[in-house]
Amino acid sequence: MAHPLIDLHAHSSVSDGTETPTQLIRAALEAGLDTIAITDHDSTAGWDEALTAAAGTGLQVIRGMELSTRDEWRSVHVLGYLFNPNDGDLVAETARIRDDRLTRAERMVGRLSEDFDVTWEDVLAQSGGVSIGRPHIADALVARGIVRTRSEAFASILHFRGGYYLPHAAPTVLDGVRLIANAGGAPVIAHPATRGADAVIDERMLVQLIDAGLVGLEIGHRENTDAGRATLERWAERYDLVVTGSSDYHGEGKPNRLAENTTSPDALERIIAAARGVEPVRG
Ligand code: AMP
Ligand code: ZN
Ligand code: FE
Ligand code: FE
């Protein structure tokens, strides 16, 4: 293949994608991908099914995760690739995040149910039960006919400033990067420029993250602003960081399509070289 398509950020129904890991692998094949990373929020529960589904297809699967972290009150997502899924600290921290996601979602629905005809049972019916979030609340609102789409829910009722939002527990971005690196993984900041001209982290924090083991920045992502990308490109050059591009595919849960952004083979090689938890697997 002249230009192997490499997409390093995709969600399954283990978190808030709408397709099972098996369906995600089929979609990756249909999109003509050479390599896909399965990166559910705060969970590795989809890994085994993804590998089974890819067996014999020639598709390369990178096992990963998108870890929820925070920098003060800001939400920062850290992609972790090829880490040891049995690392005790990472297992404990992701369990804590998922537990708090559950409590937080139930509390949000409690507030919502005062104003809308929606119940906690509605939301549970929309979730795969592993890592729950606002997208599942959105799906319940859609099912009840209160909004038409997930995006409409996020733009209004479920918005950060929509009146019902509650945060969930998450480690600091520095601790998150350390957790992934200590588990043998390669950490990459996901969509680091989604907030106007400002990146979600500043350069001083970036330097600390690099010291803690940060490997790269996901610059090719539809939610990064142009101004933010320019800053990130300068940082990547200055600190010799790996630059990735990815779709952040969620099936029908988001408009993002597989391979709408891709990562170069050289960048993937550097990620693989930086990791020592589990191996890439070509089915
Ligand atoms: P939460 O982590 O529960 O606060 O929910 C945030 C997640 O919802 C993000 O990680 C995205 O994957 C997803 N999300 C954010 N905005 C949208 C949107 N407009 N439509 C669908 N999903 C979204
Ligand atoms: Zn998501
Ligand atoms: Fe994200
Ligand atoms: Fe994502």
Side-chain angles (χ1 to χ4, degrees):
M1 218 187 293
H3 300 286
L5 296 176
I6 299 166
D7 191 335
L8 297 182
H9 186 164
H11 297 267
S12 79
S13 53
V14 159
S15 60
D16 57 354
T18 58
E19 296 172 349
T20 64
T22 302
Q23 291 168 329
L24 173 62
I25 294 299
R26 286 204 197 110
L29 289 164
E30 276 165 32
L33 292 188
D34 170 81
T35 300
I36 186 163
I38 177 168
T39 56
D40 278 304
H41 297 284
D42 311 308
S43 175
T44 60
W47 283 15
D48 289 350
E49 185 184 326
L51 291 190
T52 302
T57 65
L59 181 71
Q60 177 167 248
V61 177
I62 301 293
R63 287 170 279 180
M65 182 169 74
E66 186 175 16
L67 184 68
S68 304
T69 76
R70 62 184 172 79
D71 181 30
E72 292 172 13
W73 51 269
R74 281 178 297 272
S75 162
V76 179
H77 288 173
V78 183
L79 292 157
Y81 297 110
L82 302 169
F83 55 86
N84 169 13
N86 301 316
D87 177 85
D89 291 339
L90 194 56
V91 166
E93 187 62 16
T94 50
R96 182 178 83 98
I97 297 169
R98 293 193 310 269
D99 282 354
D100 198 68
R101 279 183 161 286
L102 197 62
T103 315
R104 168 260 199 163
E106 190 170 4
R107 286 173 56 223
M108 277 186 70
V109 174
R111 293 165 72 145
L112 280 162
S113 64
E114 291 172 18
D115 298 328
F116 301 99
D117 190 16
V118 65
T119 67
W120 181 231
E121 285 66 37
D122 292 340
V123 176
L124 287 177
Q126 299 293 336
S127 158
V130 178
S131 184
I132 200 164
R134 277 182 290 164
H136 306 102
I137 303 176
D139 291 346
L141 293 170
V142 172
R144 285 278 186 172
I146 297 164
V147 292
R148 273 168 304 171
T149 63
R150 271 191 188 183
S151 293
E152 192 181 319
F154 269 89
S156 56
I157 301 171
L158 297 181
H159 191 273
F160 180 55
R161 289 187 295 271
Y164 302 96
Y165 180 86
L166 291 170
H168 63 76
T172 65
V173 60
L174 187 56
D175 283 342
V177 166
R178 283 194 184 119
L179 277 167
I180 292 165
N182 289 343
V188 172
I189 306 284
H191 43 74
T194 54
R195 266 169 261 271
D198 299 313
V200 290
I201 49 160
D202 61 22
E203 191 169 1
R204 205 186 49 102
M205 174 60 71
L206 181 71
V207 171
Q208 292 183 53
L209 298 180
I210 293 167
D211 285 343
L214 185 72
V215 166
L217 299 172
E218 186 187 56
I219 301 183
H221 186 291
R222 64 158 71 202
E223 285 164 31
N224 286 331
T225 62
D226 289 343
R229 282 173 209 241
T231 305
L232 296 171
E233 297 281 3
R234 276 201 307 279
W235 289 351
E237 181 102 356
R238 192 171 296 162
Y239 301 106
D240 192 28
L241 292 165
V242 177
V243 173
T244 69
S246 315
S247 66
D248 202 357
Y249 181 71
H250 283 69
E252 296 312 307
K254 270 191 167 183
N256 311 31
R257 293 299 91 193
L258 284 168
E260 69 175 33
N261 288 290
T262 57
T263 296
S264 75
D266 288 352
L268 176 58
E269 273 316 307
R270 287 183 64 187
I271 287 170
I272 292 170
R276 51 179 168 74
V278 295
E279 296 290 318
V281 176
R282 191 172 291 281

